[in-house]
Amino acid sequence: MRILFKNIKELVQVREGEISFVSGAEMKILPSIKNAYLLIEGDTISDYGKMTDCPDFKVDKIVDASDKIILPTWCDSHTHIVYAGNREGEFVDRINGLSYEEIANNGGGILNSAKKLQQISETELYNQSKVRLEEVMQLGAGAVEIKSGYGLTKEAELKMLRVIKKLNQNYPIEIKATFLGAHAVPKEYKNNKQAYLEMLVNEILPVIQKENLADFIDIFCETGYFSKEDTEFLLKEGQKYGLLPKIHVNQFTSIGGVEVGVKYHALSVDHLEVVTDKDMDILKNTKTMPVALPSCSYFLSIPYTPARKMIDLGLPLALATDFNPGSTPSGNMNFVVATACIKMKMTPEEAINAATINGAYAMNLQDKVGSITIGKKANFILTKKIHSYASIAYLFGSNVIDSVYIDGKEM
Ligand code: NIG
Ligand code: FE
């Protein structure tokens, strides 16, 4: 099937050749073509250019995109889409004055989600999770990373990872899987965290390798969860199984997670609501992508990642949703982009770069998605009639998406 999109008001994020990610001042540049065409063949982008240069292609279908914009689908590099039930009760408890930390210390939080997940079957977990996956595709995501971490037993962690694998097999969206067994210390291991970490390493990692269940390894490096030393231990073990780190760091406190991440060549270090000058210095000139999760800051009323300072220092930045039942029950990348502009003072160009090409890098998918490039996946968003791409942020409460194409097919 060959489809030609013609009279596109603006074709955004066109990149020729290889590009891994953009940093610092480069993030302000969002290459585009006004009055453009785009040709796709099957699941692949095969040509694009100025409308005035559009050859007389033989195609199966023509889509008139007058007054509409085309941009690559969002690359959401940090989600926990596979979970059971919800945590609406805790949401109301927080409105009534309890803090996220207090709820967690009372046995709520991650442990609450783990209890729910342990009790349901793999089929039920799949059915609950696929609804969210379908929703994020409608919202313009064309690639997502999904973590385990609400299982916290061998059986339940593997159940989560098998659900992620099945979603990957059944849906056209690109999915990468991350093993986050070290998301919280289960009650039974309360006084013996090391034994829990050793269970993850000795009992779960070999099965992950055997069944090819994960691409990355993650740990919640945070006061009250896992220390810098725990992080170092786990990343070293993960390395033996070829799992690149993508880790939760600096959500509430800076305890050295960024440094350990960089030391073990983490693909990304995520959250970063609290970032010290030393952390920023450590990240400079590395291949580790800092990832900000502004919907989490919004939902929990915690600080936003200091994006302005980081980008002005020359660092790259990616944006992701963190879609999960506790801190961010939303998988809307359009809201993430808008919030990054409104609350973090990122320009629309920076935010779109962060949510596409840099997000793709943070999942090791930069060769497949993240830009309009010949040979990449035909994964893109066709907007409604809008004034410019800044409307995605400006009209923050509106749905500006007309349709989403993944693998060249309208979703
Ligand atoms: O990324 N911070 C750690 N984990 C998740 C939320 C966990 C939860 O509350 O369920 C996050 O925000
Ligand atoms: Fe997270």
Side-chain angles (χ1 to χ4, degrees):
M1 177 92 158
R2 292 180 105 203
I3 310 177
L4 176 67
F5 295 79
K6 59 176 206 178
N7 304 319
I8 307 163
K9 180 174 182 166
E10 192 164 1
L11 182 62
V12 173
Q13 189 64 300
V14 288
R15 303 266 179 186
E16 266 175 47
E18 279 163 34
I19 178 157
S20 49
F21 61 84
V22 284
S23 343
E26 294 165 349
M27 287 190 68
K28 284 201 167 53
I29 302 161
L30 184 63
S32 75
I33 301 172
K34 290 194 167 139
N35 192 20
Y37 72 87
L38 172 68
L39 179 73
I40 63 170
E41 294 201 45
D43 65 358
T44 307
I45 295 171
S46 69
D47 197 12
Y48 63 82
K50 284 195 175 111
M51 204 51 220
T52 45
D53 302 332
C54 185
D56 192 11
F57 293 115
K58 263 197 149 25
V59 294
D60 302 295
K61 191 177 165 187
I62 292 178
V63 177
D64 181 26
S66 296
D67 298 320
K68 298 175 177 180
I69 287 171
I70 287 183
L71 69 157
T73 45
W74 304 125
C75 296
D76 189 354
S77 64
H78 181 138
T79 85
H80 310 248
I81 281 175
V82 172
Y83 62 79
N86 66 71
R87 304 233 297 272
E88 277 178 12
E90 294 180 7
F91 169 58
V92 177
D93 288 344
R94 280 195 301 105
I95 296 172
N96 286 323
L98 283 183
S99 72
Y100 182 74
E101 288 92 332
E102 282 166 339
I103 291 167
N105 292 339
N106 295 340
I110 297 165
L111 297 184
N112 180 0
S113 286
K115 198 159 65 217
K116 291 186 162 81
L117 192 139
Q118 287 163 11
Q119 285 163 0
I120 65 169
S121 69
E122 192 174 312
T123 308
E124 176 57 20
L125 184 61
Y126 177 85
N127 289 338
Q128 289 190 20
S129 306
K130 77 173 188 181
V131 176
R132 290 184 282 272
L133 188 68
E134 286 168 10
E135 185 198 5
V136 303
M137 287 161 69
Q138 292 302 328
L139 290 166
V144 286
E145 178 257 19
I146 309 178
K147 300 172 193 296
S148 71
Y150 287 122
L152 309 184
T153 62
K154 178 181 177 183
E155 197 192 13
E157 281 296 308
L158 290 172
K159 178 162 69 181
M160 287 189 83
L161 290 167
R162 289 179 185 130
V163 165
I164 300 171
K165 188 172 181 173
K166 203 157 146 208
L167 291 169
N168 195 17
Q169 285 163 347
N170 294 349
Y171 285 87
I173 184 170
E174 292 287 330
I175 295 178
K176 290 279 190 172
T178 299
F179 173 49
L180 174 57
H183 198 188
V185 183
K187 254 205 264 83
E188 313 78 78
Y189 288 93
K190 204 171 162 217
N191 299 316
N192 198 354
K193 193 171 48 168
Q194 185 58 26
Y196 181 61
L197 287 169
E198 279 168 19
M199 187 282 284
L200 300 180
V201 165
N202 298 328
E203 294 186 36
I204 307 187
L205 280 179
V207 185
I208 289 177
Q209 185 179 48
K210 193 158 152 251
E211 293 183 33
N212 196 13
L213 290 173
D215 305 287
F216 308 117
I217 190 159
D218 195 348
I219 180 166
F220 190 16
C221 181
E222 185 56 65
T223 308
Y225 292 82
F226 294 96
S227 67
K228 184 179 168 182
E229 291 71 29
D230 298 332
T231 305
E232 184 141 14
F233 169 79
L234 190 76
L235 299 194
K236 215 188 274 175
E237 294 298 324
Q239 216 169 37
K240 295 183 189 159
Y241 290 87
L243 299 178
L244 271 179
K246 272 175 72 65
I247 58 177
H248 281 74
V249 296
N250 296 45
Q251 183 175 2
F252 302 107
T253 52
S254 174
I255 59 166
V258 171
E259 192 176 354
V260 179
V262 168
K263 181 172 170 195
Y264 287 89
H265 310 290
L267 190 54
S268 70
V269 284
D270 305 25
H271 267 290
L272 304 170
E273 287 87 344
V274 176
V275 193
T276 64
D277 288 344
K278 186 178 166 215
D279 290 324
M280 290 191 234
D281 216 45
I282 290 167
L283 282 166
K284 256 193 225 162
N285 302 318
T286 70
K287 293 207 157 69
T288 297
M289 177 66 65
V291 179
L293 310 166
S295 302
C296 176
S297 300
Y298 176 84
F299 189 72
L300 293 185
S301 299
I302 60 174
Y304 288 88
T305 300
R308 204 50 284 139
K309 193 168 176 190
M310 293 168 74
I311 296 171
D312 291 345
L313 272 171
L315 291 174
L317 190 71
L319 289 166
T321 62
D322 198 18
F323 196 175
N324 76 75
S327 72
T328 324
S330 163
N332 190 341
M333 280 295 283
N334 309 281
F335 179 79
V336 165
V337 167
T339 307
C341 294
I342 297 162
K343 294 291 183 188
M344 293 156 72
K345 301 289 170 232
M346 289 172 72
T347 64
E349 292 78 11
E350 288 171 334
I352 293 172
N353 274 319
T356 55
I357 190 83
N358 284 3
Y361 175 84
M363 289 183 271
N364 220 345
L365 281 173
Q366 66 274 18
D367 296 338
K368 277 191 171 172
V369 290
S371 63
I372 303 294
T373 301
I374 292 171
K376 278 196 182 181
K377 288 265 175 194
N379 289 11
F380 52 87
I381 295 168
L382 174 66
T383 69
K384 292 178 182 164
K385 294 183 178 183
I386 53 176
H387 183 252
S388 76
Y389 55 72
S391 298
I392 299 167
Y394 175 69
L395 300 174
F396 71 94
S398 300
N399 175 13
V400 299
I401 297 178
D402 173 311
S403 39
V404 179
Y405 286 78
I406 297 180
D407 277 1
K409 290 190 191 71
E410 191 179 339
M411 293 294 114

